[in-house]
Amino acid sequence: MTPVPEVAEEDRLRLGWYSLLARLLGGAPDSDFLASLRALEGDATELGQAVRTLAQVARRSELKEIEREHFDLFIGVGEAELLPYASYYLTGFLHDRPLARLRQDMAELGIARREGVSEPEDHIASLCEMMAGLIGGAFGEPADLATQRRFFDSHIACWAPRFFEDLQASPTARFFMPVGTIGSLFLNIEAQGFEMAA
């Protein structure tokens, strides 16, 4: 059995937020995940209130409704309402230079594309998953803070805040609106944390 790297409590929390966002944006939830979302309580913080809103919406939503919303927002017939890819947000095109730069950085960091995944690697869910892996040591030893910040600045901070704002503002996002709020708030906390640590 491979030993689990030691990760500080603060980093475990960050890893958890990235993992939650990756799971929420990587596909519509299954019944078990939806049940766990319905059980969330949140707290008095702004981020905690967004979690509470997500839990409330999850309690009022059926799986089929969420699946339809996910399809309309991120997949669509012809074109989705939102295209959650770094290349699209940064250049207006899919499979463009930001994806090539990401693939180069992935190779340098020892991050391999998961087998059976058809989405380009610059999908927001994949990037959140990669950040969680860098923090938690999924690709070897946990990455140092400087490496995490470089990845965050290069592949997330340069476009994802706009994506989360668009998700919050979407007229069709009911279940996913609080996901946009959580993403916006968390990325702002991350950016501030990296600045303070510099």
Side-chain angles (χ1 to χ4, degrees):
M1 186 170 166
T2 307
V4 178
E6 281 292 321
V7 179
E9 175 64 23
E10 179 183 310
D11 287 335
R12 279 200 298 275
L13 291 171
R14 294 173 57 227
L15 189 159
W17 285 112
Y18 277 116
S19 297
L20 176 64
L21 288 169
R23 180 65 186 85
L24 285 165
L25 294 162
D30 58 23
S31 57
D32 289 341
F33 185 46
L34 184 58
S36 69
L37 294 174
R38 288 171 173 163
L40 294 173
E41 294 183 3
D43 57 33
T45 65
E46 203 174 357
L47 191 53
Q49 291 299 308
V51 168
R52 185 171 294 166
T53 300
L54 176 62
Q56 290 168 348
V57 174
R59 288 181 205 118
R60 295 192 303 263
S61 302
E62 298 298 324
L63 270 177
K64 289 291 183 194
E65 294 173 327
I66 300 171
E67 288 168 0
R68 182 82 230 172
E69 184 179 327
H70 181 271
F71 181 86
D72 291 342
L73 279 169
F74 307 121
I75 301 168
V77 177
E79 187 171 309
E81 182 182 333
L82 298 174
L83 296 173
Y85 303 95
S87 288
Y88 182 78
Y89 267 80
L90 294 171
T91 70
F93 299 97
L94 296 173
H95 303 279
D96 210 339
R97 289 181 308 278
L99 178 58
R101 285 193 294 270
L102 172 63
R103 286 175 173 166
Q104 182 177 356
D105 285 351
M106 287 172 64
E108 290 174 5
L109 292 166
I111 304 172
R113 180 186 174 105
R114 184 180 294 163
E115 286 185 31
V117 175
S118 59
E119 294 283 0
E121 297 92 323
D122 63 343
H123 188 287
I124 185 62
S126 297
L127 292 169
C128 287
E129 196 173 345
M130 289 181 218
M131 272 300 293
L134 289 172
I135 295 165
F139 314 117
E141 287 296 311
D144 61 36
L145 207 57
T147 301
Q148 293 176 35
R149 182 176 185 172
R150 276 195 303 275
F151 189 90
F152 178 80
D153 288 345
S154 298
H155 304 295
I156 297 176
C158 53
W159 73 278
R162 281 187 293 138
F163 162 74
F164 283 120
E165 287 169 11
D166 290 345
L167 183 55
Q168 282 180 273
S170 166
T172 57
R174 183 171 166 269
F175 175 83
F176 287 95
M177 185 277 292
V179 176
T181 305
I182 290 167
S184 290
L185 292 169
F186 175 65
L187 291 191
N188 187 50
I189 292 167
E190 273 288 90
Q192 290 177 7
F194 283 129
E195 283 298 322
M196 289 170 61

